[in-house]
Amino acid sequence: MSTPAPERTPGSDVVRVAIMNDYEVVVQGVRRMLEPFASRVQVVELDSGVPVSSPVDVLLYDAFTRERAVGPVAEVLATTAAPVVIYTWHLDPQLVQECLDLGVAGCLSKTSAAEEVVDALEKVAAGSVVVSQAPEDAEATISAGDWPGRGLGLSARESEVLALIAQGLSNQEVAARAYLSINSVKTYIRSAYRKIGVQRRSQAVLWAVRHGFNPDETRTVLDPPGAVTGTR
């Protein structure tokens, strides 16, 4: 069952946004990134593993560890009447076209500056479809946000690969899911293992489980200045 279509006030300057990802730390990081632009975008709900329940103008879907997961994107589209924007590392033309064919209203690069993201959300809320230009450096560092393991020294890419390993994926499956070469996957695995002090895959999985790499199921409905949080 989808949430009802939002009724946007004509001439309204503030775009109501829900942020969705499997990990609460990720949606909280995106929220902090948008906070300086509160006069333009208002984050009204944060969702990890559950559908959006509030009327919103745009749903910003962070694709951490889900880069090629068109299926989950379709599920998100089916549960909301609001336009959906994918926030991703990858803007491969085939991937973007798959998302647009499903009905996604935007694909934004994680290398975009926060103000560029806000500009795009405003355009989508006004009825446009927005796709970021693919960065020349496919492995460019994301500009802001958060991810599991960041506080422990892991890069976003290392965390992504580790999270996928923790889900039981093989190196080849990780490469396909994350749009990486198999050699890049192996490089990220080696550097991640070195940072977390493990040598074997089983040790890495156990470490990931103990350090918050299991997907969350939480919903936070924000009603400034307070907030009410619901789980599952």
Side-chain angles (χ1 to χ4, degrees):
M1 187 178 202
S2 64
T3 56
E7 295 184 2
R8 185 160 167 76
T9 304
S12 173
D13 291 330
V14 180
V15 177
R16 297 169 297 175
V17 178
I19 304 171
M20 179 179 288
N21 181 273
D22 279 350
Y23 298 90
E24 185 178 10
V25 65
V26 175
V27 295
Q28 291 287 359
V30 178
R31 176 193 177 191
R32 287 192 294 272
M33 179 185 76
L34 297 178
E35 280 181 347
F37 303 91
S39 62
R40 298 169 61 187
V41 294
Q42 178 188 2
V43 178
V44 299
E45 187 167 317
L46 308 174
D47 296 286
S48 300
V50 294
V52 175
S53 64
S54 305
V56 296
D57 301 310
V58 181
L59 192 163
L60 182 59
Y61 177 87
D62 188 297
F64 180 75
T65 77
R66 289 176 146 187
E67 307 306 342
R68 297 190 71 171
V70 175
V73 172
E75 293 171 11
V76 171
L77 288 165
T79 61
T80 180
V84 174
V85 173
I86 308 299
Y87 189 45
T88 178
W89 276 301
H90 301 293
L91 291 167
D92 176 87
Q94 181 181 353
L95 177 64
V96 170
Q97 191 59 53
E98 287 176 349
C99 290
L100 295 178
D101 289 345
L102 284 172
V104 166
C107 293
L108 305 182
S109 171
K110 288 191 177 183
T111 62
S112 302
E115 188 166 9
E116 292 177 305
V117 175
V118 172
D119 289 342
L121 294 176
E122 290 176 330
K123 291 175 181 176
V124 168
S128 297
V129 173
V130 180
V131 176
S132 296
Q133 183 176 357
E136 293 183 6
D137 179 4
E139 298 303 316
T141 304
I142 64 175
S143 61
D146 207 346
W147 52 86
R150 182 180 187 181
L152 299 169
L154 292 173
S155 71
R157 277 308 212 176
E158 291 166 342
S159 292
E160 179 196 19
V161 169
L162 189 58
L164 291 172
I165 287 174
Q167 293 176 26
L169 275 66
S170 67
N171 286 1
Q172 193 63 54
E173 289 170 330
V174 171
R177 182 75 170 265
Y179 260 62
L180 293 168
S181 70
I182 191 67
N183 287 336
S184 292
V185 169
K186 291 177 179 178
T187 296
Y188 287 122
I189 288 174
R190 286 194 297 269
S191 59
Y193 282 15
R194 184 173 62 253
K195 288 180 180 180
I196 65 178
V198 304
Q199 296 180 334
R200 297 190 299 275
R201 204 177 195 87
S202 59
Q203 294 174 323
V205 171
L206 183 60
W207 185 95
V209 170
R210 289 175 174 172
H211 290 84
F213 280 74
N214 286 334
D216 299 309
E217 289 188 11
T218 66
R219 174 185 294 120
T220 301
V221 178
L222 303 168
D223 185 16
V228 178
T229 304
T231 304
R232 289 180 184 256

